[in-house]
């Protein structure tokens, strides 16, 4: 008898096997997008975690998300990281609508990124699996008023952004920290170019909200060329037989391994 697959199995396949790099880029852009909401940016900036501990916060967020994707929601490790995730967010004075926006961004932004720059758009099963995963995550985090379908979430996100996506000094500071972490991985001579290319990945409304100047035509053309070439290579690549993420894999912030019970800000351990 064939083992029954979880509702979000198609999303797990997408994130770990079929388009792992695109999902990861989209998730990062989704997190940056939440900073374009001044109320969210103000709370995150006030904690100081992203500005002072940028790499570890990035690694912790990635580990939490990918452990859930890898194991599903019923695994003991997933229960641990969900407890940490809830403990972290319940301490933050963020409105129910802002929590829903963060969830909607993780659902919609990567899907749109893949439609524009991935090797192919998502099929109906993958879109449904994406919705199923994040809707279940939202329910387990107590997020209220989650729309009933992917299309409804996408429409809600667009309406919310028209009203709330605005520039703020805190958003610009958060982006500087995150962009610095990315750009510092390049040789010093290449960093100015890398910074301009990172900026060109952002769409105009998000650039305005994060205080990013309009990239040059050359930077935008270079990004389009690089991403188109990347998608073409991905279409020729043989299917993965091993997941792109494994719980025991190396993590920059944890060279000697990590404890799922201690992921997130240090203040949770007190």
């Amino acid at each position: 008898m064939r083992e029954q697959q979880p509702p979000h199995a198609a999303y797990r396949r997408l994130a770990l096997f079929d388009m792992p790099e695109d999902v990861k880029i989209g998730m990062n852009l989704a997190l940056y997008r939440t900073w374009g909401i001044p109320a969210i940016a103000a709370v995150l900036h006030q904690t100081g975690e992203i500005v002072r501990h940028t790499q570890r916060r990035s690694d912790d967020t990635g580990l939490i998300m990918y452990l859930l994707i890898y194991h599903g929601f019923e695994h003991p490790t997933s229960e641990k990281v969900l407890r940490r995730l809830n403990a972290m967010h319940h301490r933050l004075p963020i409105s129910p609508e802002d929590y829903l926006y963060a969830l909607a961004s993780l659902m919609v932004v990567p899907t749109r990124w893949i439609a524009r720059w991935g090797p192919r758009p998502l099929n109906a099963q993958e879109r449904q699996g994406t919705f199923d995963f994040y809707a279940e995550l939202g329910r387990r985090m107590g997020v209220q008023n989650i729309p009933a379908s992917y299309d409804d979430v996408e429409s809600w996100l667009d309406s919310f952004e028209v009203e709330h996506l605005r520039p703020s000094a805190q958003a610009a500071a958060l982006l500087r920290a995150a962009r610095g972490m990315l750009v510092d991985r390049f040789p010093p001579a290449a960093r100015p170019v890398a910074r301009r290319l990172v900026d060109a990945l952002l769409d105009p409304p998000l650039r305005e909200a994060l205080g990013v100047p309009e990239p040059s035509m050359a930077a935008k053309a270079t990004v389009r060329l690089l991403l188109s070439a990347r998608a073409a290579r991905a279409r020729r690549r043989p299917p993965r037989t091993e997941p792109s993420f494994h719980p025991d894999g190396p993590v920059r912030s944890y060279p000697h391994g990590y404890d799922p019970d201690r992921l997130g800000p240090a203040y949770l351990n007190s």
Side-chain angles (χ1 to χ4, degrees):
M1 185 175 180
R2 187 175 179 181
E3 184 180 354
Q4 185 175 3
Q5 294 292 305
H8 63 272
Y11 179 68
R12 183 182 188 276
R13 177 82 201 175
L14 179 75
L16 299 183
F17 291 90
D18 293 347
M19 299 188 211
E21 294 87 0
D22 287 287
V23 170
K24 186 175 290 187
I25 292 170
M27 288 172 66
N28 278 297
L29 291 174
L31 292 172
Y32 298 164
R33 202 163 197 92
T34 65
W35 303 345
I37 307 302
I40 297 176
V43 170
L44 295 178
H45 186 266
Q46 187 175 13
T47 70
E49 289 290 323
I50 292 173
V51 174
R52 292 198 301 265
H53 309 295
T54 312
Q55 184 65 60
R56 183 169 175 178
R57 290 288 69 75
S58 175
D59 287 341
D60 284 357
T61 300
L63 283 169
I64 287 170
M65 293 304 302
Y66 277 93
L67 286 169
L68 292 172
I69 294 168
Y70 184 90
H71 289 300
F73 291 102
E74 305 300 333
H75 192 276
T77 298
S78 297
E79 293 174 357
K80 291 178 182 179
V81 298
L82 276 166
R83 282 197 298 270
R84 296 291 284 184
L85 195 60
N86 280 318
M88 186 190 322
H89 287 88
H90 290 167
R91 293 194 183 197
L92 301 178
I94 295 177
S95 73
E97 271 203 331
D98 288 342
Y99 273 123
L100 178 56
Y101 177 73
L103 185 77
S105 295
L106 286 166
M107 193 185 301
V108 172
V109 174
T111 303
R112 288 178 169 175
W113 168 270
I114 290 170
R116 179 69 181 89
W117 298 115
R120 59 168 177 80
L122 302 193
N123 59 39
Q125 186 180 23
E126 290 163 340
R127 279 167 58 101
Q128 184 63 44
T130 300
F131 173 81
D132 290 338
F133 177 83
Y134 286 105
E136 181 63 22
L137 175 60
R139 284 190 287 270
R140 289 174 183 259
M141 292 183 66
V143 177
Q144 302 171 22
N145 301 318
I146 301 171
S149 70
Y150 176 88
D151 289 340
D152 290 341
V153 171
E154 189 172 35
S155 296
W156 182 91
L157 178 139
D158 288 338
S159 298
F160 185 85
E161 286 192 347
V162 168
E163 187 173 350
H164 296 282
L165 196 68
R166 299 286 185 273
S168 71
Q170 292 88 348
L174 294 171
L175 181 67
R176 283 195 300 271
R179 185 172 52 190
M181 178 189 70
L182 295 172
V183 170
D184 285 350
R185 298 179 185 180
F186 291 84
R191 288 174 189 171
V193 174
R195 185 176 293 106
R196 289 193 288 272
L197 295 183
V198 169
D199 290 348
L201 292 174
L202 310 178
D203 62 81
L206 184 57
R207 284 200 298 267
E208 181 179 354
L210 298 180
V212 174
E214 179 75 12
S216 68
M217 294 297 293
K220 290 189 280 189
T222 300
V223 165
R224 285 195 297 269
L225 181 63
L226 291 173
L227 292 176
S228 296
R230 177 180 166 277
R233 285 197 304 273
R235 284 191 286 270
R236 297 192 297 269
R237 190 181 301 143
R240 279 182 175 270
T241 57
E242 294 293 329
S244 60
F245 169 84
H246 193 278
D248 297 326
V251 183
R252 187 182 295 263
S253 297
Y254 301 100
H256 306 296
Y258 61 91
D259 180 355
D261 268 324
R262 299 183 71 82
L263 294 175
Y267 60 72
L268 295 179
N269 302 322
S270 58

